[in-house]
Amino acid sequence: MSLPHTGPAPALSIAAIEDADTADVIALWRRCGLTRPWNDPAADIALARKQQNAAVLAGRDGSDVVASVLVGHDGHRGWVYYVAVDPDHRHKGFGRVIMDAAENWLRVRGIEKLQLMVRPDNSQVQAFYQSLDYFEQERIVYAKWLDGREPTP
């Protein structure tokens, strides 16, 4: 395992994605293993981009999208999804940069708390969030598909 990034923050340009970025962002999410059969990433991006309370941010190293996050809020709490760093660009501090961008996006909108969900078997990402001073909260998450389909993991 590589050592965590300890130097100055890497230079990534961060901006909300444009239509032309959608395919690159979905490809990044797939490379990072973030997509699931029951979630259509293109639909998730489209929904986030049409709302005032959500955005998909991309981190670029030159012209390449190497990091992303879908960030939003419900007026009370912020949430992040699809936090991704290209596997070829990990351990350079880009994860911290994209999370800082998501936190700042929420701060500008007056949101004081950010929450996220991590699958229990993803110990590597749990360590990443702990290194960013996130802490585990004991909660039970309930879910229901409103179209009547069976529960998914």
Side-chain angles (χ1 to χ4, degrees):
M1 183 169 158
S2 298
L3 294 174
H5 175 79
T6 57
L12 281 185
S13 62
I14 307 288
I17 68 167
E18 303 291 335
D19 290 344
D21 300 319
T22 299
D24 289 340
V25 170
I26 291 171
L28 173 64
W29 292 355
R30 287 190 173 131
R31 276 194 74 179
C32 294
L34 299 179
T35 60
R36 296 294 182 265
W38 53 86
N39 289 337
D40 176 359
D44 289 346
I45 289 171
L47 181 61
R49 291 186 67 217
K50 77 177 188 179
Q51 305 296 324
Q52 293 294 315
N53 65 334
V56 180
L57 306 178
R60 286 180 174 33
D61 183 18
S63 62
D64 297 330
V65 174
V66 297
S68 75
V69 62
L70 190 159
V71 59
H73 68 86
D74 59 16
H76 184 66
R77 290 179 186 91
W79 290 88
V80 294
Y81 303 92
Y82 293 110
V83 177
V85 173
D86 187 294
D88 292 339
H89 293 275
R90 291 194 176 149
H91 307 291
K92 296 179 179 180
F94 293 164
R96 179 177 297 275
V97 172
I98 201 70
M99 283 301 296
D100 285 347
E103 291 175 8
N104 289 333
W105 189 93
L106 291 165
R107 279 187 196 98
V108 165
R109 287 153 182 83
I111 304 301
E112 297 178 348
K113 185 177 185 181
L114 189 157
Q115 296 187 161
L116 54 94
M117 294 182 284
V118 175
R119 289 183 179 88
D121 61 344
N122 196 342
S123 58
Q124 186 174 8
V125 83
Q126 290 173 27
F128 166 71
Y129 287 118
Q130 290 167 356
S131 78
L132 298 181
D133 296 327
Y134 283 81
F135 55 93
E136 185 176 342
Q137 291 191 309
E138 291 191 32
R139 302 289 185 266
I140 298 173
V141 177
Y142 288 93
K144 176 182 180 180
W145 286 104
L146 300 179
D147 62 4
R149 68 182 116 165
E150 292 298 312
T152 53

